[in-house]
Amino acid sequence: MLESVIYILTNIPLLMKGVWMAVQITVLSVLLGMVIGIAVAFLRIYGSKNMRRLVSFYEWVFRGIPQLVLLFIVYFGLPGIGINLSPFLCVVIGLGLCSSAYQAQIYRGAILSIGSEQMEAGLSLGLSKTRTLFYVILPQAVRLSLPGFTNEFTIVLKDSPLAYAVGIAEILKYGRDLIVSSFRPFEIYLAAALIYFVLFQLFYYLFKAIASRYQVPGYIISGE
Amino acid sequence: MSFFAVLPKYLPDLAHGLWLTIALTLIAAALGFLLSVPLVLALLYTKGIPRMLARLFITLVRGTPLLVQLFFIYYGIPALGIRIQPFNAALIGFILNSAAYQAEYLKGGFMAISSEQMEAAYSIGLSKWQAVRVVIFPQAFRFAIPALSNEIIYLVKYTSVAYVIQVPELLSQAKFFASDTFFHLQIYFLIGVVYLLLIWVVSKLSDMLEHKLHIPGFDIAHLR
Amino acid sequence: MPLVRIENISKSFGKNRVLDGITFDIEPGAVKVIIGPSGTGKSTLLRCINMLAPPDSGKIWLQDTEITAPHTDLIKIRQKIGMVFQHFALFKHLRAVDNVALGLHRVKKMNRSDAYEKAKQNLQKVGMQDHGDKYPAQLSGGQQQRVGIARALAMDPLLMLFDEPTSALDPELIGEVLMVMQKLALEGMTMVCVTHEMGFAKSVANEIIFMEGGHILEASPPAEMFNNPRNERTRSFLHKINELYGESK
C-alpha cells in the first residue's frame, strides 16, 4: 500500500505533463465551442427561417453524434480528401464542434429568458440598440449562462481523455507507458481517476467562485 | 471497388456491432435506473452513513471521465486477480455511470415536489415509505422523464467509448472495416448517421412514453 | 373530558421561537378559529396537533393518549385528525376520487371497491361527486380545496384542522369552501381553523383565539372578541383586518 503510494508520487511529474495536455485540450475545445455556439445561438434566434432550420439541424447533428465518431471522421476521414491535420487539432475540432451545439443551447436559453421588455426599457431610455445589447442584455445573458457553461466545461474536461484514441500523450497515455515497465495498472489508473477528479473539482469551484463574485440578487447562478 | 460494393460483405459484422451498442445501452439504462432509485432515496430520505455513501458514489462517478473508469475496471481490477471480459467491463462502467446520473435527475424530480405533498400524505396516516412510494415517487418519475430519456441518449453516444477497451461494438466494427478497406471517411460518416437514427428513435419513444403517462398538471415545460 | 388537551407547548425553528407556552383544550364539537398576524405560529400550532411538527416541549393529549410521548403510533393518531392545507396539497398525479380513496385503501386497508364507494360518498358531501374523474390540475382552486376536505373527512376523523383553507383562493371561490366548512360545523364536527375570514369566524366559531408572537393573547367567544376585545393588540389587529377585508357581517 505505502509502496504503491510512493511509486505513484515519484511518477507524478510525468502524469502532470498529461494534466497540462488535458487542460489545453479542454480550454481550446470549449473556446472553439463558444465562438461557434454564440454564432449559432444568434442565428437560431435572429436568422431567417431557412437559416434557423439549418442551424437547428446543426445543433441536432452535433448533439447526437458520438464524440469519438466525430473525432474519427476528422482524424481518419479527412486525410482521404486531402486534409491533413495534427492529432491535437483534430481533437480540439472534434470536441469543440460537439460542445458548440450544447453551448448554443445554453446561450440561446439565456438570451431568450431575458425577455423583450429589457430591450424596450433600454431603448426607451434613449440607448441605441447596440448599447442596450452591451449594457443591458449581455451582462444578464452572461450571468444566466454561467451555470450551464460551468457544466459544459466539466463535460468537455471529462471527454478530453478521448484524445487517447488518436494517440495524444495525455494522462492515460503516460499512465500506459508506466504500466508497460511497472505492471501496476490498478494503482496507476486509480491515480489517473483521482487526478481527473481533482481537476474536475478545481474547475468546478473556480467557476463557482466566479459566479458568486458576480452574483446579483434574483439570478441563481452559483447553484448546483 | 467502390465503398458500396465492399460494404455488404461486412454488414453482418456491423450489424453485430450495432446489436452490442443497443444491448449495452438498454442493459445499462435499465439496471442503472434500478440502482438509481435506492441511491436517490438514500440521498433524500436517510441520514448519516447511507446518505454519505450515496453522495460519495455519485460525486466520484460524475467527477471522473468515463474512459478512465473503463480503463480502471478493464485493466486495473484484473491486477487484483479478477478477470473481466471487455463487454462486462464496459457494462459495469456504464451501469455505474447511468445509475449516478439518473439518481441526480431523479433527485431533481423529487425536489420539484412541494413539501405539502409529504405533509398531506402523513396527515391521512400514510407511513414515510408508503408516502414516498405511492405519492412522491410517481410524481418525481413523471417530472424526471425528459431528463431520463436524455440519459439514454447519452448512453447511446457514450457506448462508442467502449471501443477503446476492445468491445466489438459499432465503432469498433467500423474501425475494422476501415483498416481493411481504407474507406475511412465513408464508414465513419455512415455509422455517424446510424447513431443519429438510434437517438432519433430514443427521443420518439420517450415522447410516446411521456404522452402515455401524461396527466394534466405535469406539463414539463412549465418547470424548466 | 376534552377531545384534545394542549399543555404548555413550545417550538422553535433555529433561534426563532414560534410557539411559546401554548395551552388550551378542544371540547368535542367545538369550533375554534385562530386568528393573528402572519408568522405568529398559527400554522405551526396546527402542525403540532397532528405531530407533523412535533413540539420541542409541552404535552398534547388526544382523548386519553399522550401523543407527544415517545414511541406514540403517529400513523394511528393522524388517521383521527384530518388536515386541510392552504395550497390544497392534493396528490397531483391522482384523480379526485383516487385522492380520497388513497387513505381508505392504503391506510385503513379497505378493499378497492369499498374504498371507492366511500370516496364517492365523501365527494358527494362536498358537492364534488361529478368531478371525481378529474385530475387536480383540471379543477378550480375552490373545487380542489373541497376535494381536500373530502379526503380528510373520508378517514372519519375526530377532529379537523384547517390551515388557511381559503387564503390561496380567488375571492369568488372562497364562498363554496366556507359553505362546506359551515355545514361540517353544523353537523357537529370538531374543528380548529386558522383563517382571516372574520364573517365565518363570527357566525360559526364558538371561540376565537388571538395569537401573536407565539402566545395566545386572548381567547373568547366571537361576540365578546369582536365587540369588546380586552387586549390592545387584538383591537389593532381586528381594526387592520377590517380595513383589508372589509367590515364583516
Side-chain angles (χ1 to χ4, degrees):
Chain A
M1 174 71 195
L2 182 67
E3 189 205 2
S4 306
V5 174
I6 292 170
Y7 173 76
I8 293 297
L9 287 180
T10 52
N11 286 296
I12 278 286
L14 189 65
L15 293 173
M16 275 307 168
K17 273 163 66 182
V19 170
W20 173 229
M21 179 54 83
V23 171
Q24 285 180 69
I25 290 172
T26 305
V27 171
L28 290 176
S29 305
V30 169
L31 282 179
L32 177 65
M34 185 191 286
V35 173
I36 302 175
I38 290 174
V40 168
F42 272 96
L43 287 175
R44 181 96 192 257
I45 297 173
Y46 301 111
S48 67
K49 199 171 176 197
N50 282 330
M51 181 51 90
R52 289 205 301 262
R53 250 191 225 142
L54 187 70
V55 292
S56 76
F57 181 70
Y58 172 92
E59 276 182 25
W60 183 74
V61 168
F62 286 104
R63 272 188 305 135
I65 200 161
Q67 278 85 336
L68 213 44
V69 173
L70 187 60
L71 191 52
F72 280 14
I73 290 177
V74 177
Y75 182 71
F76 294 112
L78 289 188
I81 51 172
I83 304 173
N84 282 291
L85 303 169
S86 75
F88 180 80
L89 204 55
C90 288
V91 171
V92 170
I93 291 173
L95 294 182
L97 286 178
C98 281
S99 180
S100 73
Y102 286 98
Q103 290 191 53
Q105 288 207 315
I106 295 166
Y107 304 134
R108 182 163 61 98
I111 297 169
L112 288 180
S113 68
I114 292 170
S116 56
E117 263 195 0
Q118 292 285 321
M119 179 55 96
E120 288 171 2
L123 296 176
S124 76
L125 289 177
L127 289 169
S128 70
K129 218 170 175 176
T130 355
R131 281 178 170 231
T132 311
L133 196 64
F134 268 93
Y135 297 134
V136 180
I137 307 292
L138 271 183
Q140 297 185 52
V142 170
R143 285 187 170 85
L144 283 167
S145 42
L146 248 172
F149 179 82
T150 305
N151 194 32
E152 177 58 21
F153 189 96
T154 58
I155 288 174
V156 176
L157 177 70
K158 284 187 282 177
D159 285 340
S160 69
L162 294 180
Y164 171 88
V166 294
I168 286 183
E170 45 68 75
I171 301 173
L172 286 178
K173 178 69 168 54
Y174 286 118
R176 194 153 187 89
D177 292 349
L178 286 175
I179 290 164
V180 171
S181 58
S182 73
F183 304 107
R184 288 168 182 266
F186 184 85
E187 292 91 329
I188 286 168
Y189 288 131
L190 188 63
L194 284 176
I195 289 172
Y196 273 108
F197 185 72
V198 170
L199 262 183
F200 176 89
Q201 299 291 332
L202 224 66
F203 279 112
Y204 180 77
Y205 284 103
L206 175 72
F207 284 117
K208 219 173 154 165
I210 294 174
S212 65
R213 170 111 170 52
Y214 293 99
Q215 178 100 47
V216 172
Y219 289 97
I220 304 160
I221 57 177
S222 57
E224 279 279 337
Chain B
M1 287 238 289
S2 80
F3 173 66
F4 288 103
V6 295
L7 188 63
K9 207 179 115 200
Y10 291 86
L11 271 183
D13 287 346
L14 288 165
H16 179 67
L18 176 63
W19 164 240
L20 286 185
T21 292
I22 293 172
L24 273 173
T25 303
L26 291 183
I27 299 174
L31 294 186
F33 180 73
L34 286 184
L35 269 178
S36 75
V37 174
L39 271 176
V40 77
L41 294 182
L43 209 56
L44 293 173
Y45 296 103
T46 65
K47 292 194 183 86
I49 291 176
R51 181 199 203 121
M52 222 181 62
L53 287 178
R55 179 79 279 168
L56 184 73
F57 172 79
I58 292 172
T59 312
L60 280 179
V61 171
R62 298 190 354 128
T64 50
L66 175 67
L67 184 58
V68 179
Q69 294 165 12
L70 293 186
F71 269 42
F72 179 69
I73 296 168
Y74 182 59
Y75 296 112
I77 292 189
L80 302 178
I82 306 162
R83 288 181 59 83
I84 305 177
Q85 297 297 315
F87 182 83
N88 293 338
L91 198 53
I92 293 169
F94 288 131
I95 290 171
L96 295 183
N97 259 273
S98 86
Y101 283 92
Q102 292 193 64
E104 202 62 27
Y105 299 141
L106 270 182
K107 189 178 118 192
F110 275 86
M111 312 270 267
I113 298 167
S114 78
S115 59
E116 254 195 0
Q117 291 283 315
M118 196 70 182
E119 285 192 334
Y122 280 144
S123 82
I124 56 170
L126 291 171
S127 69
K128 183 174 175 181
W129 294 112
Q130 257 183 329
V132 169
R133 191 162 51 90
V134 303
V135 174
I136 308 294
F137 186 78
Q139 298 187 50
F141 181 69
R142 284 192 172 80
F143 282 135
I145 292 175
L148 293 177
S149 83
N150 261 346
E151 174 57 21
I152 300 181
I153 288 175
Y154 274 114
L155 271 173
V156 172
K157 284 176 65 174
Y158 279 94
T159 51
S160 61
V161 176
Y163 148 81
V164 188
I165 58 165
Q166 286 101 46
V167 178
E169 46 65 73
L170 187 55
L171 179 61
S172 304
Q173 301 292 356
K175 187 86 169 63
F176 295 143
F177 175 91
S179 347
D180 275 8
T181 64
F182 299 103
F183 286 116
H184 290 280
L185 189 60
Q186 293 86 336
I187 190 66
Y188 294 130
F189 191 82
L190 179 72
I191 65 158
V193 172
V194 171
Y195 278 108
L196 287 174
L197 278 175
L198 280 179
I199 281 162
W200 182 79
V201 170
V202 172
S203 56
K204 281 292 155 226
L205 285 177
S206 121
D207 286 351
M208 273 165 58
L209 180 71
E210 218 177 297
H211 190 73
K212 202 171 151 59
L213 291 178
H214 179 261
I215 284 178
F218 282 84
D219 306 298
I220 307 303
H222 75 107
L223 266 175
R224 339 201 100 225
Chain C
M1 190 178 74
L3 181 62
V4 178
R5 281 179 60 197
I6 296 161
E7 198 176 282
N8 198 26
I9 60 166
S10 296
K11 181 161 185 71
S12 306
F13 291 114
K15 281 187 181 146
N16 187 14
R17 207 169 172 82
V18 188
L19 296 177
D20 195 1
I22 301 281
T23 300
F24 68 97
D25 287 352
I26 305 168
E27 307 294 335
V31 176
K32 306 219 172 212
V33 168
I34 304 176
I35 60 172
S38 55
T40 50
K42 295 169 300 195
S43 291
T44 309
L45 175 58
L46 289 190
R47 282 167 171 71
C48 284
I49 298 176
N50 66 357
M51 294 291 280
L52 279 180
D56 300 335
S57 64
K59 289 178 177 171
I60 300 172
W61 281 270
L62 177 70
Q63 293 173 321
D64 44 15
T65 318
E66 192 207 321
I67 64 173
T68 39
H71 311 303
T72 308
D73 186 355
L74 292 179
I75 286 172
K76 278 240 168 62
I77 298 300
R78 287 186 185 131
Q79 291 176 48
K80 298 179 187 167
I81 305 176
M83 182 153 187
V84 175
F85 294 83
Q86 184 176 0
H87 300 286
F88 331 130
L90 293 185
F91 305 131
K92 294 189 181 129
H93 61 305
L94 300 176
R95 298 170 306 161
V97 66
D98 304 323
N99 263 278
V100 183
L102 182 76
L104 299 170
H105 180 51
R106 301 271 179 183
V107 181
K108 288 216 191 278
K109 307 288 177 201
M110 289 170 68
N111 69 44
R112 273 186 76 85
S113 60
D114 290 353
Y116 275 83
E117 190 50 43
K118 187 161 183 189
K120 282 176 191 152
Q121 287 165 13
N122 278 281
L123 283 176
Q124 180 126 36
K125 275 191 202 163
V126 297
M128 288 294 293
Q129 64 277 11
D130 297 336
H131 301 282
D133 287 337
K134 290 188 181 157
Y135 286 96
Q138 295 169 309
L139 300 172
S140 74
Q143 292 173 325
Q144 289 192 54
Q145 194 57 295
R146 279 147 67 197
V147 175
I149 295 172
R151 178 175 70 184
L153 276 183
M155 304 297 287
D156 295 324
L158 300 170
L159 165 71
M160 289 277 286
L161 306 173
F162 291 85
D163 183 13
E164 303 204 24
T166 57
S167 65
L169 294 176
D170 292 333
E172 75 273 17
L173 301 176
I174 290 175
E176 59 187 76
V177 173
L178 290 181
M179 241 155 69
V180 170
M181 290 169 65
Q182 192 155 11
K183 198 177 112 201
L184 269 182
L186 285 175
E187 286 168 6
M189 175 59 76
T190 314
M191 295 163 57
V192 179
C193 317
V194 173
T195 183
H196 293 299
E197 294 300 326
M198 294 303 149
F200 172 80
K202 263 184 194 169
S203 59
V204 180
N206 40 36
E207 187 174 57
I208 314 274
I209 296 173
F210 176 70
M211 272 182 75
E212 192 177 60
H215 301 280
I216 293 180
L217 293 190
E218 190 166 347
S220 46
E224 211 176 313
M225 175 75 79
F226 289 113
N227 299 331
N228 188 19
R230 275 165 288 162
N231 190 298
E232 176 53 37
R233 300 291 310 147
T234 319
R235 217 169 299 152
S236 91
F237 175 75
L238 288 173
H239 183 70
K240 267 187 214 146
I241 283 285
N242 281 339
E243 275 181 359
L244 278 174
Y245 293 84
E247 193 78 36
S248 48
K249 281 177 263 172

